[in-house]
Amino acid sequence: RGEEPPGVLQRLPWYPGGRAWSCTVPRKEFRNIPALLPFHKFLVEQNDLGTLNRQEAVSMIPVLLLAVPPAARVLDMCASPGSKTAQILDAVVAGAGPGERVSGKGMVVANDVDFKRCGTLCHQMRRFGATSLVVTNHQAQNFPRCIEFDRVLCDVPCSGDGTLRKSPDMWPKWNPQNGMGLHFLQFLIAQRGVRLLRPGGKLVYSTCSLNPIENEAVVAELLRTFPDLTVADVSAKLPDLKRRPGWANWRVIKTAERNAPFEWYASRDEWDNEPAELRERRKKVVRSMFPPGDDEPEIRKALSRAVRIVPQDQDTGGFFVCLFEKREAPDGAAPTGDTEGPRNVPDEATGSKPEDPAATTAATPDEIPPGEPVGPAAKKKKPVPDSEAYVRLRDLSPEALGTISSFYGIDRSVLADTLLARPRTAEQPPPPEQTGEHRLG
């Protein structure tokens, strides 16, 4: 109604069109203030209808910088719980009329490695009634290449140290080594995203961490690996957002026992010249963690175009975002995505063996508490789908399978062999028809 409850809501100055608001009342206290109970009820109702979405303010930045055009094909590689996926869906169907919303021109593929989190993702997306959404359960670093995407979002698993303000219990568990066990996995997910991106497309790499090992080090290694990849200048986007440039210099810690005094490498040359026996004891440290040298001026310059969001600058969480653009391949040359190449990072680039278990172990901040081991020691068994709750698409009628294949533009054999569907039951009635300009799908 145009009324702003004093001291409760603040419009985010950097969000386009002024369509985002921040609530100043802590979440735990919201229900204990009688005057705010009607407002709380309104938020819950509208959230359930899909007319508004609640998420941390800073986590909206990656999708805004990705600039998803209507009717685009978009891949969200680590999608759960789905707040960024909802943003993407809203952009994909933006400006489309009722007939265009079911034309199949635009599509969002939301993937997550954890089966239970995929269930949460389906539940969250169901309220939007979106027909342009596919949810997949797969390791992001090994995601199959069925189609090329116009946009790819790599909001990768991270140590989450940028959330220390809202999660003060993380402070006693924090350790600079927390992100080192995730560095290899983060690169593998991002490099797979690049291969799935069409020439001329855009990819965002983001984390809720401020650790350069998880951020700038991954960006630098991507630029070394893919000559057709560039870091876009986003300084003119979201002009009211206070940001800091990416780093070109940082230190790498020598791995040690927990609570032992920290020791740092003076340079990458020190790591290069270490005896093999000593390096074997420091398995977590790989060459790609070090900052680019003076012989890589273009990479050092590109890192400054990345975006660092620091909590004290604008009362937000900490975040890192980098927007990549994939150049068109020169005449006669194969685009990056057309050549699978090595699935793992080359030994000489990272110091890791191709059979490194970290390359096949995906983890999320929700699954691994900060300060706990990551990699093989933290690997969890993948839940097995309930055979009674899902059916393979090949078990559907030929007519139904043909309709799905035609709508999404995916080969029928791929659908039949790889995808599952949850049949609707009496306990799961279809969502009520939604009308109005906020409807998705």
Side-chain angles (χ1 to χ4, degrees):
R1 297 171 181 169
E3 300 175 359
E4 181 177 339
V8 176
L9 291 180
Q10 295 179 350
R11 193 188 299 270
L12 294 179
W14 47 266
Y15 196 92
R19 295 181 290 113
W21 300 76
S22 175
C23 182
T24 59
V25 179
R27 185 173 182 178
K28 293 182 179 179
E29 300 178 13
F30 208 94
R31 299 181 182 180
N32 299 326
I33 303 178
L36 293 180
L37 290 180
F39 181 52
H40 179 265
K41 181 180 179 181
F42 166 80
L43 290 178
V44 172
E45 290 176 347
Q46 298 305 311
N47 184 75
D48 291 342
L49 289 173
T51 56
L52 60 80
N53 197 40
R54 293 184 291 176
Q55 68 183 104
E56 187 175 2
V58 74
S59 72
M60 296 187 286
I61 296 173
V63 176
L64 292 177
L65 294 183
L66 194 58
V68 178
R73 290 187 172 186
V74 188
L75 172 62
D76 189 351
M77 301 192 75
C78 308
S80 184
S83 56
K84 297 180 183 65
T85 307
Q87 274 186 277
I88 295 172
L89 275 170
D90 195 30
V92 167
V93 302
E100 296 175 315
R101 290 173 185 249
V102 295
S103 66
K105 292 181 179 179
M107 179 175 65
V108 178
V109 177
N111 177 72
D112 201 88
V113 68
D114 187 86
F115 183 75
K116 291 184 178 179
R117 290 169 66 90
C118 283
T120 301
L121 181 61
C122 290
H123 175 74
Q124 292 293 335
M125 295 299 101
R126 183 172 176 267
R127 59 196 172 99
F128 295 107
T131 59
S132 302
L133 175 69
V134 176
V135 175
T136 59
N137 176 216
H138 206 284
Q139 288 183 328
Q141 67 270 31
N142 296 316
F143 196 86
R145 185 167 180 263
C146 301
I147 60 174
E148 287 187 327
F149 293 92
D150 305 302
R151 298 288 189 272
V152 175
L153 175 62
C154 295
D155 188 54
V156 298
C158 67
S159 63
D161 58 22
T163 66
L164 284 170
R165 287 182 63 183
K166 72 173 184 179
S167 304
D169 58 312
M170 291 178 60
W171 278 106
K173 303 175 183 178
W174 181 86
N175 188 293
Q177 299 181 36
N178 290 354
M180 299 183 75
L182 290 168
H183 169 82
F184 191 46
L185 172 65
Q186 290 164 337
F187 172 78
L188 288 174
I189 293 175
Q191 69 124 6
R192 190 59 185 161
V194 175
R195 297 189 188 282
L196 296 170
L197 184 67
R198 68 165 177 82
K202 297 180 180 180
L203 178 147
V204 158
Y205 175 85
S206 62
T207 73
C208 55
S209 169
L210 298 176
N211 190 336
I213 304 298
E214 303 178 69
N215 299 327
E216 286 89 349
V218 175
V219 171
E221 189 64 16
L222 287 172
L223 294 175
R224 295 185 190 104
T225 307
F226 301 100
D228 55 352
L229 208 59
T230 61
V231 176
D233 182 1
V234 296
S235 58
K237 296 185 177 182
L238 308 180
D240 293 321
L241 176 67
K242 295 181 181 179
R243 70 198 80 185
R244 301 190 186 190
W247 294 355
N249 296 289
W250 60 87
R251 295 192 296 173
V252 178
I253 191 172
K254 299 179 180 180
T255 54
E257 298 297 328
R258 188 169 298 279
N259 299 324
F262 294 150
E263 296 182 32
W264 306 86
Y265 284 101
S267 66
R268 186 171 58 187
D269 292 338
E270 181 183 352
W271 181 85
D272 287 337
N273 297 324
E274 270 190 340
E277 180 181 348
L278 183 57
R279 187 181 297 182
E280 182 66 19
R281 289 168 50 194
R282 298 169 175 167
K283 291 182 179 179
K284 281 188 178 181
V285 180
V286 294
R287 200 171 196 273
S288 59
M289 292 179 178
F290 290 87
D294 294 335
D295 57 338
E296 299 175 304
E298 292 301 319
I299 293 180
R300 294 178 63 86
K301 182 179 179 180
L303 291 179
S304 67
R305 294 195 287 270
V307 175
R308 279 182 163 262
I309 307 297
V310 181
Q312 63 267 29
D313 284 353
Q314 211 163 9
D315 193 23
T316 65
F319 225 80
F320 176 87
V321 188
C322 185
L323 176 64
F324 292 96
E325 294 179 345
K326 189 174 183 180
R327 293 192 294 263
E328 299 282 353
D331 294 339
T336 302
D338 290 345
T339 306
E340 288 298 324
R343 190 59 69 92
N344 293 346
V345 186
D347 292 352
E348 61 273 15
T350 67
S352 297
K353 297 179 180 179
E355 62 270 17
D356 190 339
T360 57
T361 303
T364 67
D366 291 340
E367 294 168 353
I368 301 178
E372 294 299 318
V374 294
K379 185 174 182 179
K380 295 188 176 183
K381 291 184 178 180
K382 192 174 182 180
V384 178
D386 183 354
S387 59
E388 296 182 357
Y390 293 85
V391 296
R392 292 193 177 276
L393 289 193
R394 65 167 173 250
D395 296 330
L396 300 179
S397 67
E399 293 78 10
L401 190 60
T403 299
I404 298 174
S405 173
S406 175
F407 180 83
Y408 288 110
I410 299 177
D411 186 82
R412 183 180 299 210
S413 62
V414 174
L415 290 172
D417 294 336
T418 61
L419 300 184
L420 301 175
R422 176 182 290 175
R424 199 175 300 283
T425 65
E427 290 76 22
Q428 297 174 324
E433 180 67 16
Q434 299 181 33
T435 58
E437 61 178 359
H438 297 290
R439 178 190 175 208
L440 294 179

